[in-house]
Amino acid sequence: MFKECMRLFVSFAKVGALTFGGGYAMLPILQREVVEHQGWATEEELMDYYAIGQCTPGVIAVNTATFIGRKRAGFAGALAATLGVVFPSLVIILVIAALIENFAEIRWVRNALAGVRVCVCVFIFNAVLKLWKSSVTDKATLLIFAVVFLAATLLEASPVLLVLLAAVAGIVLMWTGVRKK
């Protein structure tokens, strides 16, 4: 049990240390580590964890780490994975917080941060493309996507409401035979 918890902590600490840009930017690195390197979840399971992690309070990557840790080693695994994924950020943020006021107004620091923001957008875009490929698989899921996208952008509808309505739509489409899966 201890050995598995250490594996979880180290793997998720690696994800936390190598990812810049927050939860969504972590998704491709989480996928690589959890599915490809460790074999702790399938692509479909990971997509389910992402979906649930998005619907619950907190950062999606932290929530996903907690789910995977729980699956692998119960409560201790959930704790180890969660601590692992947040530990690098905690250390880095403590250092930055101590220094930021001294350097924030330096021109090259501002420009460097602007470049990092653009890079993070690319990481998030790549994560969206991966999620798209595994989530929007037929006309029914494309329709759900389109309705949710329009409601989120044009009506600024509540994310909680949209998730619940999308879940109901998925169930209804299955019951009516539109979706076979």
Side-chain angles (χ1 to χ4, degrees), residues 52-117:
I52 295 167
Q54 180 63 41
C55 299
T56 54
V59 178
I60 188 172
V62 174
N63 294 346
T64 301
T66 305
F67 290 135
I68 292 167
R70 171 74 172 84
K71 176 186 175 189
R72 298 292 305 164
F75 179 80
L79 188 60
T82 302
L83 291 174
V85 81
V86 300
F87 182 73
S89 297
L90 176 65
V91 172
I92 292 166
I93 288 298
L94 285 173
V95 170
I96 290 173
L99 301 174
I100 192 75
E101 288 187 25
N102 299 328
F103 299 105
E105 295 306 315
I106 297 174
R107 184 174 168 195
W108 66 267
V109 172
R110 285 195 321 264
N111 290 329
L113 290 174
V116 169
R117 283 193 301 269

Side-chain angles (χ1 to χ4, degrees), residues 10-22:
V10 169
S11 288
F12 283 103
K14 185 168 54 172
V15 168
L18 297 176
T19 307
F20 294 87

Side-chain angles (χ1 to χ4, degrees), residues 26-164:
M26 285 182 163
L27 298 184
I29 295 171
L30 270 171
Q31 185 274 338
R32 206 170 309 127
E33 182 67 19
V34 169
V35 176
E36 296 173 19
H37 293 158
Q38 299 295 341
W40 288 335
T42 65
E43 288 278 348
E44 188 172 286
E45 286 175 317
L46 191 60
M47 291 303 134
D48 290 342
Y49 294 148
Y50 288 166
I52 295 167
Q54 180 63 41
C55 299
T56 54
V59 178
I60 188 172
V62 174
N63 294 346
T64 301
T66 305
F67 290 135
I68 292 167
R70 171 74 172 84
K71 176 186 175 189
R72 298 292 305 164
F75 179 80
L79 188 60
T82 302
L83 291 174
V85 81
V86 300
F87 182 73
S89 297
L90 176 65
V91 172
I92 292 166
I93 288 298
L94 285 173
V95 170
I96 290 173
L99 301 174
I100 192 75
E101 288 187 25
N102 299 328
F103 299 105
E105 295 306 315
I106 297 174
R107 184 174 168 195
W108 66 267
V109 172
R110 285 195 321 264
N111 290 329
L113 290 174
V116 169
R117 283 193 301 269
V118 171
C119 183
V120 168
C121 288
V122 171
F123 294 152
I124 293 170
F125 182 73
N126 284 336
V128 168
L129 287 179
K130 281 189 176 191
L131 287 169
W132 172 276
K133 289 176 185 175
S134 63
S135 300
V136 181
T137 56
D138 55 22
K139 290 179 183 176
T141 52
L142 179 61
L143 176 64
I144 293 171
F145 172 85
V147 170
V148 170
F149 181 80
L150 291 172
T153 55
L154 299 178
L155 304 176
E156 297 181 19
S158 162
V160 173
L161 177 63
L162 292 176
V163 168
L164 292 173

